Amino acid sequence: MSQLTVLSLIFLLSLVRSCQGQLKVGFYDSSCPGAEGIVNSAVARAFTSNPAIAPQLLRLQFHDCIVDGCDGSILINLPNGKQENKAFGNQGLGGFNVIDEAKTKLESQCPGVVSCADIVALAARDSVVLTKGPFYDVETGRRDGFSSSISHASDLPGEDEPINALQDKFAAKGLSDKDLVLLSAAHTIGTTACFFMGVRLNNFEGTGRPDPSIAPAFLAKLQGICPKGGDVNVRLALDDGSEKVFDAHYLDNILTGTAVLQSDAALLNNPTTRALVEFYARSPDAFRNDFGLSMVNLGRLGVLTGSNGNIRRACSAFN
Ligand code: HEM
């Protein structure tokens, strides 16, 4: 074989390898043509009986991807209980049963083909659509990881952190201020437990007082739902007045002092994130479009592709 042929072969092989190792829209089109439909049916079925599943599944993708990348590590249960989903900041996560149900169906149709990490990403998109949010193409081709550790999730962005800490934590993962604003806007649907309101309502920045940025009438409402010393498991809407519909109303709330989570209100405390909140509140169409782009960015974090990772048989356990 001539030197040129060998070089061409090496080039071709490296091209094949790099193609195998990339996310792409429609990754399962030939290997499991029904994959996206199967996930969609599982999510739609669950949503019909319990609409609260949509925000849970959207949140699940964030919590999977922000720790060790989008590798399905959030889904794992370990005999010693030291898995990622047991971390403090992962409290209240749900939707695992829907992922498991989709996986069971997928394994019966296309065994060993579709990763749990991809099911999470597809289920999040389908949840956005079911709540009347934007459709966006989900890149697939992720593979599942081999570790899931409670300690790796010890530094999740917290609801009582100042804006610069939130920006730093997103930037550390390669997510911009724009991603921070757009992805935080996932809080346009769903609820929080009063547990996450304690600092904001009673001891903002160690003052022993509520967050002064809360509009007075809204503060009274929040204190009524989450009184000091009350049941921390009571849940309240994250987007007051529109928690069931994916829309830009959440952004208006931030501007009028009626955001619920402190981390959402904090988006006004930096000129860049503030300008983004103002822009997207004025431009709901841009918000819908750009939210999808930021979800794609989120879905690219630390992915395992090609020959890295594997395809789990069950999402809650390593093979
Ligand atoms: C900026 C950092 C973030 C912080 C501090 C934060 C914090 C929280 C907290 C405290 C809750 C309430 C959890 C509960 O009581 O069950 C929550 C719920 C939620 N989060 Fe976030 N979050 C952040 C970013 C994100 C991102 C990036 C997404 C998705 C792209 C997301 C999606 C959701 C959704 C949909 C819910 C509602 C869950 C439900 O109704 O069960 N969050 N978040």
Side-chain angles (χ1 to χ4, degrees):
M1 215 184 292
S2 78
Q3 207 180 359
L4 194 67
T5 323
V6 172
L7 280 176
S8 313
L9 260 177
I10 292 173
F11 175 72
L12 274 175
L13 274 175
S14 68
L15 210 66
V16 169
R17 282 182 74 92
S18 79
C19 285
Q20 280 176 341
Q22 275 173 11
L23 297 182
K24 67 170 192 170
V25 175
F27 182 86
Y28 299 112
D29 280 357
S30 52
S31 57
C32 187
E36 298 203 14
I38 289 173
V39 176
N40 186 266
S41 302
V43 175
R45 207 168 26 251
F47 182 76
T48 309
S49 55
N50 174 23
I53 202 72
Q56 290 181 353
L57 287 167
L58 178 53
R59 184 174 181 229
L60 195 59
Q61 187 184 357
F62 174 53
H63 286 248
D64 186 30
C65 295
I66 203 75
V67 177
D68 295 340
C70 313
D71 60 352
S73 51
I74 197 73
L75 308 171
I76 290 289
N77 291 328
L78 296 173
N80 65 7
K82 296 268 169 66
Q83 70 269 16
E84 189 176 312
N85 60 34
K86 288 288 183 211
F88 182 83
N90 283 330
Q91 287 175 91
L93 280 181
F96 299 97
N97 52 336
V98 180
I99 305 295
D100 290 341
E101 192 192 318
K103 179 63 172 172
T104 305
K105 194 82 195 285
L106 285 163
E107 285 302 293
S108 73
Q109 305 253 320
C110 328
V113 173
V114 181
S115 70
C116 298
D118 278 346
I119 301 174
V120 170
L122 291 166
R125 187 271 314 277
D126 293 345
S127 299
V128 170
V129 173
L130 280 166
T131 48
K132 305 194 175 11
F135 177 91
Y136 53 90
D137 281 322
V138 174
E139 295 174 333
T140 42
R142 294 169 196 81
R143 290 165 63 85
D144 298 321
F146 298 129
S147 74
S148 175
S149 158
I150 190 169
S151 64
H152 290 194
S154 59
D155 201 21
L156 287 164
E159 76 293 346
D160 54 357
E161 288 193 284
I163 184 63
N164 60 318
L166 298 172
Q167 288 173 297
D168 288 350
K169 286 188 176 177
F170 271 58
K173 302 287 173 183
L175 294 171
S176 66
D177 285 349
K178 193 167 160 180
D179 294 318
L180 171 60
V181 170
L182 287 161
L183 294 174
S184 294
H187 295 157
T188 174
I189 54 170
T191 56
T192 178
C194 285
F195 178 79
F196 293 107
M197 300 301 293
V199 170
R200 186 168 201 220
L201 294 180
N202 306 303
N203 192 19
F204 176 71
E205 292 182 349
T207 56
R209 306 191 50 78
D211 180 347
S213 78
I214 308 175
F218 192 57
L219 174 62
K221 178 173 176 177
L222 291 177
Q223 285 170 329
I225 302 170
C226 303
K228 196 171 184 179
D231 181 355
V232 293
N233 296 310
V234 168
R235 299 193 73 85
L236 65 157
L238 284 169
D239 178 3
D240 186 60
S242 165
E243 77 271 20
K244 295 201 167 120
V245 180
F246 191 106
D247 58 14
H249 183 260
Y250 153 95
L251 296 160
D252 298 332
N253 285 355
I254 295 180
L255 293 170
T256 55
T258 58
V260 172
L261 287 183
Q262 188 176 312
S263 56
D264 293 337
L267 295 172
L268 293 187
N269 298 344
N270 168 273
T272 308
T273 51
R274 183 187 190 103
L276 285 160
V277 171
E278 289 169 347
F279 169 72
Y280 286 116
R282 281 196 306 273
S283 326
D285 289 343
F287 167 60
R288 288 176 71 83
N289 182 64
D290 293 0
F291 176 79
L293 299 178
S294 283
M295 285 301 287
V296 172
N297 291 341
L298 176 68
R300 288 179 179 165
L301 296 187
V303 291
L304 301 165
T305 56
S307 54
N308 295 316
N310 70 356
I311 304 295
R312 276 182 218 145
R313 281 189 292 275
C315 291
S316 59
F318 299 121
N319 288 351

